Each structure stands twice: as structure tokens, then as C-alpha cells.
């Protein structure tokens, strides 16, 4: 079974902090990588795709290390509204996705 | 209007009842998926369909069936609901050119 592993957290950080999440994946044939955000009892929403060269979207930076099969997400200057569960997602080689169980982030005032 | 809609949003039913969850999308995507989410287990794929004549089992298809009535509609049925099918169910879609999936708002199903 193809797995995606994440630390479930929760990560408790104050506003303005920088926080990083990592995940590892087992399917070396995976070609597409994503971070999704999920608010409590809501649907997952795409936060950002992850590219081999690393990519940034405002306060969010994603990195991919294919050799070690891990993906990271860095959030700078955390906001209260960043509180959510962050899902690491990897394609499974059959045009389907495998989701990690998520890392919970709690940003406090 | 939302691009991916699910009905009902909440449902409470009894063991042994037949239940149908419906998903519709206006994104024009060919591919549709059904997932369930349980606390601590993450999202797990139940069934998926790449076009109207294509149905594939996912990781946990036992106890479920699906129907792809049209490109825009994908229904999930529980023929005889059991309590361990209590979960949050999500429908998702994507186009063939990308792996990015777009989710509906979810259906919260409780089987008593």
C-alpha cells in the first residue's frame, strides 16, 4: 500500500511565528505533489502544488526532495486564519491521489 | 454557485437501510471520485470514474456501489448501511490534464 506519513501535531504557535511541516511518501513513482488545507468539518482545498525546484506563494513555501521522498511546507508570519489541518498529497501512479492524515496547526494570539 | 455540490449534506439513517449520496459538478471535468474521511484515518478512496462508462474500485469499495449517470453526476450507494459506515463523505473532480482535485462540501452520514 502506498503511504503518505505526516506528524499529526497539533503544532501550537503564536501569531507571527514560522512553522514547518514535513511528510514522507513511499511511492517512488509519484510525479505530482500537493499541500491541501482542511478546516474543521469542511472540504479539503488546494493550498499549493509542490514542484521539484521548490515554490513559494506569499507566506507559504513548499519543497520537494525526491531522493529522500519527503515534502515540506513552511509558513512564515503565521496568522490566526492559518489554523487548520494541512494535508500532504501525492499521486499514486494511477491518476489517483493518496492523502496523508494531516498535520493540525493552531495559531494563537 | 458551487462548482461541486453534494446532497444531502447531513443524513441520519438506521442499520440496513439503503442510502444514496449524490454529487454534481459544473466544472466540466471528466473524472470524479468518492472518498470517506474518518477521524485519525484521513481520506480514503472508495470509487472513481474517469468517464461515463468507466468505474473503478478504490481502496475501500466493499459495501458501496456507484453510478455515473452523466459526465456531471456521480452517485454513491450504500446498499445496506452499517454503523461503521458512519463518516464524512466527499466527492471530488478533476480534469484529465492535471492531478489537482476539487472537492464538494461533504456529506455527514450517521448510521445508527
Amino acid at each position: 500500500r502506498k503511504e503518505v506519513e505526516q506528524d499529526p501535531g497539533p503544532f501550537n504557535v503564536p501569531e507571527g511565528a514560522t512553522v514547518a511541516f514535513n511528510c514522507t511518501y513511499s511511492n517512488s513513482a509519484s510525479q505530482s505533489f500537493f499541500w491541501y488545507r482542511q478546516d474543521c468539518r469542511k472540504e479539503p482545498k488546494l493550498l499549493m502544488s509542490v514542484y521539484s525546484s521548490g515554490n513559494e506563494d506569499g507566506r507559504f513555501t513548499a519543497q520537494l526532495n525526491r531522493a529522500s521522498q519527503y515534502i515540506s511546507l513552511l509558513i512564515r508570519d503565521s496568522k490566526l486564519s492559518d489554523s487548520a489541518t494541512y494535508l500532504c498529497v501525492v499521486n499514486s501512479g494511477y491518476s489517483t491521489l493518496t492523502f496523508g492524515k494531516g498535520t493540525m496547526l493552531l495559531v494563537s494570539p | 454557485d458551487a462548482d461541486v455540490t453534494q446532497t444531502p449534506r447531513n443524513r441520519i439513517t438506521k442499520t440496513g437501510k439503503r442510502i444514496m449520496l449524490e454529487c454534481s459538478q459544473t466544472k466540466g471535468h471528466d473524472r470524479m471520485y468518492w472518498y470517506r474521511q474518518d477521524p485519525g484515518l484521513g481520506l480514503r478512496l472508495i470509487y472513481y470514474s474517469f468517464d461515463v462508462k468507466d468505474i473503478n474500485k478504490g481502496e475501500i469499495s466493499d459495501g458501496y456501489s456507484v453510478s455515473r449517470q452523466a459526465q456531471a453526476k456521480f452517485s454513491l450507494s450504500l446498499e445496506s448501511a452499517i454503523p461503521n459506515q458512519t463518516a464524512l463523505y466527499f466527492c471530488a473532480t478533476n480534469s484529465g490534464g492535471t492531478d489537482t482535485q476539487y472537492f464538494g462540501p461533504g456529506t455527514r452520514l450517521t448510521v445508527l
Side-chain angles (χ1 to χ4, degrees):
Chain A
R1 183 173 180 273
K2 309 303 183 184
E3 298 282 352
V4 177
E5 301 289 343
Q6 295 182 251
D7 181 342
F11 284 59
N12 288 283
V13 301
E15 274 188 292
T18 296
V19 61
F21 309 137
N22 294 323
C23 89
T24 59
Y25 62 95
S26 62
N27 184 359
S28 59
S30 295
Q31 295 295 321
S32 301
F33 310 90
F34 309 92
W35 284 101
Y36 275 71
R37 170 196 169 123
Q38 186 174 25
D39 294 291
C40 187
R41 301 189 179 192
K42 298 288 184 67
E43 72 272 26
K45 293 184 178 179
L46 178 68
L47 178 66
M48 59 196 303
S49 301
V50 185
Y51 303 117
S52 297
S53 55
N55 49 296
E56 186 174 307
D57 183 1
R59 298 182 292 108
F60 300 86
T61 300
Q63 298 276 356
L64 169 64
N65 184 320
R66 286 185 185 271
S68 301
Q69 293 181 205
Y70 82 78
I71 306 159
S72 65
L73 177 67
L74 182 77
I75 305 175
R76 292 182 298 278
D77 188 21
S78 298
K79 311 293 185 188
L80 294 176
S81 58
D82 293 334
S83 296
T85 296
Y86 291 83
L87 307 177
C88 180
V89 184
V90 175
N91 84 320
S92 306
Y94 298 100
S95 296
T96 60
L97 299 179
T98 300
F99 288 77
K101 296 176 183 178
T103 298
M104 183 181 291
L105 172 65
L106 300 173
V107 182
S108 55
Chain B
D1 289 339
D3 294 321
V4 186
T5 57
Q6 293 184 233
T7 56
R9 295 293 313 278
N10 290 280
R11 182 71 183 268
I12 300 173
T13 191
K14 295 182 179 180
T15 297
K17 294 292 187 181
R18 184 178 187 274
I19 297 297
M20 179 180 286
L21 309 184
E22 299 190 356
C23 176
S24 295
Q25 52 108 352
T26 58
K27 299 183 77 69
H29 289 166
D30 291 325
R31 301 183 177 193
M32 299 187 73
Y33 307 79
W34 275 105
Y35 295 89
R36 66 176 280 176
Q37 187 173 36
D38 300 90
L41 294 180
L43 280 156
R44 292 182 292 167
L45 183 62
I46 305 172
Y47 270 97
Y48 60 103
S49 169
F50 286 170
D51 65 41
V52 175
K53 297 180 181 180
D54 177 75
I55 299 291
N56 304 281
K57 292 183 177 181
E59 179 187 348
I60 51 161
S61 58
D62 288 348
Y64 301 95
S65 62
V66 290
S67 174
R68 185 79 185 268
Q69 302 96 318
Q71 185 200 39
K73 297 184 182 296
F74 193 35
S75 300
L76 176 71
S77 294
L78 288 67
E79 296 302 325
S80 179
I82 56 177
N84 77 0
Q85 291 178 312
T86 293
L88 185 55
Y89 289 83
F90 288 107
C91 173
T93 75
N94 75 326
S95 69
T98 174
D99 285 327
T100 304
Q101 293 184 13
Y102 300 89
F103 285 79
T107 294
R108 186 165 297 278
L109 177 67
T110 302
V111 183
L112 301 176

